[in-house]
Amino acid sequence: MASLEPYTAAHGFTLEELADNRAGKLHPRQVQRHSNAGFGCAVFFIVLAVLVLAGGLGGAAFFYDSLRKPVDRVDMNGVYVLAAAGVFFSLCFVAATIAQFRGVARQRAAYLGAPSVVEGRVAKVVIQQRRMHDRFAYRIEGLEFDVPEAGWKLSENGGRYRVFFVGRDLLSIEPLL
């Protein structure tokens, strides 16, 4: 059998992790690495929600203070629109935060179980994206996994491989004879 070290280096897993995957278990590093994916994005959205709310309400207050008293209806409507826009967009970011936290919770739940395994011929796919780096993926038995470019270059198109995964996350891969 071919050496697995090039595959471990190129795909970002260790021989220990592969051994646990073969035994039907997730290695603790795999759980730690993948179960919190998306948490930072959720925190970013909540901070953005607070900033947008403060900006909208603060902008409305500053605009109101800059107006000559008594304030006419048209100017007051502008104050209301500015404040309402801040609240509306802040609520949009809160909704995005909730959706992101739910995704993190689903990801954590998926990493409480055992890894799934699929064996078969790998089709190498390059998805060329304008203004971004190309995306490299494997398709195997109707499933698609994003992989690092180094791993993609190392693997053989049409070669037989065993892939251990959770959801859409490739955990480890090994060539089959």
Side-chain angles (χ1 to χ4, degrees):
M1 182 172 206
S3 173
L4 294 174
E5 281 81 14
Y7 288 93
T8 62
H11 289 89
F13 64 92
T14 65
L15 291 174
E16 288 176 347
E17 292 170 350
L18 178 61
D20 280 356
N21 295 161
R22 286 176 178 160
K25 301 183 297 185
L26 291 168
H27 192 279
R29 277 191 300 259
Q30 291 172 326
V31 173
Q32 181 184 18
R33 183 173 39 230
H34 293 285
S35 66
N36 289 328
F39 189 77
C41 187
V43 171
F44 173 75
F45 281 147
I46 198 70
V47 168
L48 204 55
V50 169
L51 291 175
V52 167
L53 181 63
L57 296 179
F62 284 127
F63 180 54
Y64 179 77
D65 287 342
S66 72
L67 297 174
R68 275 190 298 160
K69 309 304 185 254
V71 179
D72 65 359
R73 262 182 52 198
V74 173
D75 287 338
M76 202 59 205
N77 286 342
V79 171
Y80 293 145
V81 166
L82 191 56
V87 170
F88 173 76
F89 287 112
S90 180
L91 288 175
C92 290
F93 285 118
V94 167
T97 301
I98 291 169
Q100 193 67 30
F101 276 128
R102 285 184 178 164
V104 169
R106 279 192 303 272
Q107 184 85 346
R108 284 183 176 174
Y111 275 86
L112 292 176
S116 300
V117 63
V118 63
E119 294 181 6
R121 299 206 179 278
V122 165
K124 294 168 49 171
V125 180
V126 178
I127 297 139
Q128 295 179 338
Q129 301 179 22
R130 290 175 47 143
R131 299 187 188 125
M132 295 177 66
H133 296 288
D134 293 342
R135 201 177 109 217
F136 298 90
Y138 296 148
R139 285 195 185 129
I140 179 170
E141 300 297 321
L143 301 170
E144 186 171 300
F145 303 100
D146 289 339
V147 295
E149 182 178 1
W152 186 87
K153 287 179 178 178
L154 176 67
S155 64
E156 177 187 336
N157 193 32
R160 291 189 42 79
Y161 291 89
R162 179 180 298 127
V163 174
F164 297 95
F165 65 97
V166 170
R168 290 184 44 118
D169 297 332
L170 183 140
L171 301 173
S172 56
I173 183 170
E174 62 183 335
L176 300 174
L177 296 176

